Amino acid sequence: NRKRWAKLCNITFFGLLLVAFVCLEVTGHIDLSWVWVLSPIWLPLLISLVLICMGVTIKILLDHIKD
């Protein structure tokens, strides 16, 4: 029972931020573009993509330096 409850409550920081932004936007407490309201969805993906590209670039450069 406790494990099932833990799985149901497993929400990330970005998930909480998304819920907060949507609630604040819908109730009129903030006036942001929906692109920024929904940024907790795409921002982690963008950060991950940038980090992966940086890692691949570093790996390629290090392999090139060794040769």
Side-chain angles (χ1 to χ4, degrees), residues 1-23:
N1 192 18
R2 182 174 270 186
K3 286 183 181 181
R4 184 172 52 173
W5 178 251
K7 285 182 183 180
L8 290 174
C9 294
N10 188 14
I11 187 164
T12 65
F13 169 74
F14 289 106
L16 289 174
L17 195 59
L18 176 64
V19 171
F21 278 177
V22 169
C23 290

Side-chain angles (χ1 to χ4, degrees), residues 16-43:
L16 289 174
L17 195 59
L18 176 64
V19 171
F21 278 177
V22 169
C23 290
L24 290 170
E25 177 69 24
V26 168
T27 58
H29 286 86
I30 58 173
D31 186 29
L32 292 175
S33 165
W34 279 100
V35 170
W36 291 112
V37 171
L38 298 176
S39 67
I41 294 173
W42 58 264
L43 198 56

